Structure formats: C-alpha cells, structure tokens
Amino acid sequence: MAVEYSPYDEQLNVDPYPLYARLRETSPVHHNEDLDIWALSRHADVDAALRDAAGFSSANGPLLDSAVWGPDAHKVMSFNAMDPPEHTRMRALVSKVFTPARRISGLEPRIREIVRGHLEPALERGSFDFITDVAAAVPMDVISELIGVPDEDRAEARRLINLAFHRPPGARDLTPENAQAMGALAEYYIRWVDERRRTPAADLLTTVAHASVDGAPLTEQQIVALLGLLVTAGYETGLRLLGNAWYWAWRHPQQRARAFDGQITEWVEETLRYDTPVQYLVRTLTEDRTLHGVRVPRGARVLLLIAAANHDEEVFADAERFDLGRDTHRAISFGGGPHFCLGAPLARLESRIVLEEVVARISDYEIDADQAVRVYTTNIRGFASLPTTIKPR
C-alpha cells in the first residue's frame, strides 16, 4: 500500500512517527498531488536543504497557510521569510540580544527568579497544570523582559498568541478568530514601540523603535512583523519544549529517574530530538532538482520534516526509544544554516532552569493523561494542558 502524507492529517497530531518512518523507508521524496507539496524526511536530505538557502528559498515563508505563504510572507514573518542578504540585515537588528553566549548565560539569575515566582505557588497546591501554570508563564515572562513588554500586558499577549496560532483540527487556513487575535497583537506592538520612542529603555523595543535598514527607519509593517516573530517564536518554542519534556519523562520512568538524578541537560536535548516542537519548515525550490531519482520542479513547495529526520535510524540508533544517554549532537530540532533558530540558546537555558528547579523540590509526579490536551497546528507539536500532581521532597 502506497504511503500517503498530508500535514493536515489529524492522526499526525496523535502520533506522526510511524508515518514518518514509512516515508523515510519508501518515499523519501514524497509528493502529495492534491496539495502539490513535496516532503523530505531523511536526515541527510533535510539537513542539506536547511543549509542550502540558495536552492531551498525562504522567500515565501516557512508555513503552508495560504494567508502567510507567498511573496508577501515577510510582511507577517519578517526575516523568517527572507533570504540573504535581506535576511542577514534584518536578523542582525536583534541577533545581539539572543546569540552571545555571555549575554544569554547572564540571564540565568533573573530567569530563576521568574521560574520560582510561578513554580512555588503551583507546588504549594500539590496539583496544578504544568502547561498553564509553569510552561506557558515562564517563556512569556522571559521573552517579555528581553523585548520590554509591560508587565500589565503580558497575560493578554499570551492569550492573544494562543488564539492567533491554534485552530480547530482540520482547519487549513487562519480562522476569523486567528486573524482577529493577530490584529489585536499588532496594535499592542505599535503601542509598545511608540512608548519607547517617547521613553527609551534598555530593551529590544527601544532598539526596534530606533532601528533602520539601509538608512531608512523600519516601517510600521516591518515593526509588527519583527516583534510578532520574536514574541511568538520565543514563547512557543520554550512552552512546547517544556511540555514535551514533562510528558515523555513521565511516560518513561527509567529515563525520568535519570533526569531526577541530575541529567537535566540530557533531558532537554533528548526531548528536542524525540518529539520536536517544530515538526517541519517549508522551503521553495529555486531550480529543478533530482533527489533519489525523483525530479522535483522549480517553484515546488518542499516540507523539510525536521521531526522525521530526528528519528532517522541512519543517524540515531533505536530512534524510537526515549533515551537520555544517547548522543544528540546531530539533531536538527532548531533548523540549520542561516535560519538556525535565533532563540535556541534561550529556549535551552530556560527549559534547563525550569526542570532543575522542579526536580530540586519534588521526588516524583503524575500526569492525568485522560485530561491532557494537545494543541493543534500543522507544524507545532505539544500540549495545551498537562494536569499534574506532585510528590514533594
């Protein structure tokens, strides 16, 4: 029976990995004729494509949604929907905030304060929702501090982000609720930047408010796209990574014991490989290519299945096993090439701190799996709710 793949298949939200294995084995260059999309699933192919910005262009954006895919994608996705040199110039405006190792590591004391502020009230109750009470709250507060989002706006910004990107199963495009939330977020971004033009501060909003590209100040549209990318990416990646780590350690008691015995970094890295928050990225082929004997035409929309690549047995032996002892250095969970995720160091740091702080205070935990709720998007995998009961130390 021929393998069939569609990113809109609701079963993928339950467990995509058996299908990914069939794609790697029997259809590594897969064409969905109805959607006219192509999918690469083997590690070598996905890794090479991520590094080949000239051949696999980001100019139409990294998402399939018709509302944000195409030559105007940069108006919504900022530098995530650009190729060099435009990508390089726009990314440089904010990269100094996210990439220097010394700056990121210097955030650790403040992140621990934020984590404890959310964690301790939750632990005192004994039962709480790990997603809403911890995993969603911490990344939002951290990215908000870096950017300069006012305290009083953070809860509403988090609510709007959730409304903007999560949709009913089977929905292929933005819903009216998604669009309305995005519009409301844009109004916040402009208000925040206008405030920083009047009252500068040591934050990214001030940088954006006074930034210019090729001698011209950023337009309102560029500001909205840039801040939208940074806020949502900084929030979503950390949130889904934390939720997936919490869930899979609970499902694998032996690995949970290793995590609780000090292998926190390994817990984060194996989660990134085993259940990657970002399942795929879209690229546009700039020339005809023949891959594994299959001709893929110029202009093709190509899905780079990062999550499938991270389960490739050619790279990760016994890949379907959640194993904190494995070598994960070849995992491509944060992409690769010029579009390697700007927030990767921050996501890793805040996830490590959250898990360290939890483990220091509890001896074990249980998740109410019957009440756990997954989010639904075509390319983000994670949880919206993980009801948890803990055993204090």
Side-chain angles (χ1 to χ4, degrees), residues 135-269:
V138 169
M140 189 64 195
D141 277 2
V142 172
I143 195 67
S144 294
E145 290 216 358
L146 279 176
I147 291 175
V149 177
D151 290 348
E152 62 270 19
D153 290 338
R154 293 179 187 180
E156 179 63 6
R158 183 164 66 243
R159 187 186 73 84
L160 290 171
I161 291 169
N162 288 330
L163 283 176
F165 291 97
H166 303 149
R167 60 197 68 173
R172 296 193 175 188
D173 289 310
L174 297 178
T175 66
E177 291 77 14
N178 298 147
Q180 185 177 14
M182 286 183 173
L185 280 168
E187 293 178 5
Y188 272 101
Y189 300 151
I190 294 303
R191 176 163 64 79
W192 296 337
V193 170
D194 285 345
E195 174 61 27
R196 283 298 180 267
R197 288 189 176 123
R198 294 189 295 270
T199 311
D203 56 33
L204 193 54
L205 280 174
T206 301
T207 299
V208 170
H210 299 280
S212 63
V213 175
D214 296 332
L218 296 183
T219 65
E220 187 172 289
Q221 187 177 72
Q222 287 174 316
I223 289 170
V224 168
L226 183 59
L227 289 178
L229 172 63
L230 296 177
V231 171
T232 55
Y235 169 66
E236 278 285 336
T237 304
L239 161 58
R240 305 311 164 198
L241 169 55
L242 278 166
N244 290 349
W246 194 245
Y247 178 77
W248 289 115
W250 173 71
R251 288 290 302 269
H252 296 85
Q254 289 184 334
Q255 301 306 312
R256 183 167 76 248
R258 297 174 73 168
F260 274 55
D261 197 35
Q263 295 188 30
I264 304 296
T265 297
E266 292 84 354
W267 186 4
V268 172
E269 295 303 321

Side-chain angles (χ1 to χ4, degrees), residues 322-334:
F322 186 66
D323 178 9
L324 271 58
R326 80 166 68 248
D327 181 353
T328 59
H329 83 276
R330 294 184 64 188
I332 50 177
S333 311
F334 288 111

Side-chain angles (χ1 to χ4, degrees), residues 24-292:
R24 288 193 306 270
E25 181 180 355
T26 65
S27 189
V29 184
H30 184 78
H31 187 209
N32 181 312
E33 294 183 5
D34 292 338
L35 298 173
D36 195 20
I37 58 173
W38 300 76
L40 303 182
S41 51
R42 291 182 180 172
H43 187 281
D45 298 327
V46 174
D47 189 42
L50 287 168
R51 299 173 188 276
D52 181 8
F56 292 84
S57 170
S58 297
N60 289 314
L63 302 177
L64 277 179
D65 299 321
S66 61
V68 294
W69 185 90
D72 291 331
H74 65 278
K75 295 178 180 179
V76 178
M77 303 295 294
S78 189
F79 59 81
N80 227 13
M82 297 177 186
D83 291 324
E86 292 83 2
H87 168 269
T88 308
R89 288 196 291 267
M90 285 297 294
R91 181 173 168 127
L93 293 177
V94 295
S95 62
K96 61 184 178 181
V97 174
F98 292 93
T99 53
R102 183 178 301 175
R103 174 175 173 77
I104 294 301
S105 63
L107 298 173
E108 181 161 344
R110 178 57 186 141
I111 294 176
R112 286 197 186 275
E113 280 186 54
I114 292 171
V115 170
R116 290 168 182 170
H118 291 291
L119 186 61
E120 288 172 359
L123 296 182
E124 286 177 6
R125 296 195 299 272
S127 294
F128 59 96
D129 191 323
F130 183 77
I131 298 297
T132 57
D133 293 334
V134 180
V138 169
M140 189 64 195
D141 277 2
V142 172
I143 195 67
S144 294
E145 290 216 358
L146 279 176
I147 291 175
V149 177
D151 290 348
E152 62 270 19
D153 290 338
R154 293 179 187 180
E156 179 63 6
R158 183 164 66 243
R159 187 186 73 84
L160 290 171
I161 291 169
N162 288 330
L163 283 176
F165 291 97
H166 303 149
R167 60 197 68 173
R172 296 193 175 188
D173 289 310
L174 297 178
T175 66
E177 291 77 14
N178 298 147
Q180 185 177 14
M182 286 183 173
L185 280 168
E187 293 178 5
Y188 272 101
Y189 300 151
I190 294 303
R191 176 163 64 79
W192 296 337
V193 170
D194 285 345
E195 174 61 27
R196 283 298 180 267
R197 288 189 176 123
R198 294 189 295 270
T199 311
D203 56 33
L204 193 54
L205 280 174
T206 301
T207 299
V208 170
H210 299 280
S212 63
V213 175
D214 296 332
L218 296 183
T219 65
E220 187 172 289
Q221 187 177 72
Q222 287 174 316
I223 289 170
V224 168
L226 183 59
L227 289 178
L229 172 63
L230 296 177
V231 171
T232 55
Y235 169 66
E236 278 285 336
T237 304
L239 161 58
R240 305 311 164 198
L241 169 55
L242 278 166
N244 290 349
W246 194 245
Y247 178 77
W248 289 115
W250 173 71
R251 288 290 302 269
H252 296 85
Q254 289 184 334
Q255 301 306 312
R256 183 167 76 248
R258 297 174 73 168
F260 274 55
D261 197 35
Q263 295 188 30
I264 304 296
T265 297
E266 292 84 354
W267 186 4
V268 172
E269 295 303 321
E270 176 63 347
T271 300
L272 283 166
R273 183 206 68 85
Y274 185 77
D275 204 9
T276 311
V278 178
Q279 294 278 292
Y280 69 79
L281 295 170
V282 180
R283 297 291 187 261
T284 304
L285 202 59
T286 62
E287 61 184 9
D288 292 352
R289 292 281 182 96
T290 299
L291 302 167
H292 300 288

